[in-house]
Amino acid sequence: MLVEEQGERRECGTLTDRAHDELQATLEGLDPREDHAHDPEVPACDPGPGAWVHIEGFDHSPSACDWRCCAPELARAGLVYALVEYHFLGEVLSFDGEPYVAVEPDKPCP
């Protein structure tokens, strides 16, 4: 579900193989015992991150972080989720020199 200032718009889809593989590789490279939340000493994170990240099976989950504030090892996962959001806004961005399609739409949306 995409929530916008004008209200909610319901759209559904499945991650593309590329997006799924990048997300999977990122998560597999993380230590589930480590805290991957934001660093409170980073000025960009003041007054604090605007999102919570839940990774099933991780000791410190959910973690407070957002695009600017999550630990660097989560950057690729943040990119995938941002590209999903852009998809639902009707945009496809280029990444590594080619369009990055992150979602295959499901019709109709359940």
Side-chain angles (χ1 to χ4, degrees):
M1 181 182 311
L2 179 63
V3 177
E4 300 176 305
E5 287 182 25
Q6 299 84 13
E8 295 177 356
R9 188 174 80 213
R10 187 172 181 83
E11 294 190 42
C12 302
T14 304
L15 288 176
T16 60
D17 289 341
R18 178 181 181 184
H20 180 269
D21 291 348
E22 288 197 29
L23 190 57
Q24 187 75 23
T26 298
L27 295 177
E28 287 174 355
L30 299 176
D31 180 349
R33 297 174 306 265
E34 190 175 321
D35 188 356
H36 300 283
H38 79 288
D39 181 351
E41 301 299 317
V42 175
C45 297
D46 188 36
W52 289 91
V53 174
H54 177 81
I55 305 173
E56 189 173 321
F58 277 54
D59 293 349
H60 301 276
S61 186
S63 299
C65 69
D66 64 20
W67 180 252
R68 297 167 294 139
C69 301
C70 277
E73 60 271 17
L74 286 174
R76 198 59 135 183
L79 171 67
V80 170
Y81 279 97
L83 291 167
V84 167
E85 182 178 8
Y86 278 110
H87 167 83
F88 289 126
L89 293 172
E91 299 179 41
V92 175
L93 301 181
S94 291
F95 190 76
D96 289 339
E98 62 183 59
Y100 193 130
V101 178
V103 177
E104 296 169 353
D106 285 340
K107 300 290 182 191
C109 186

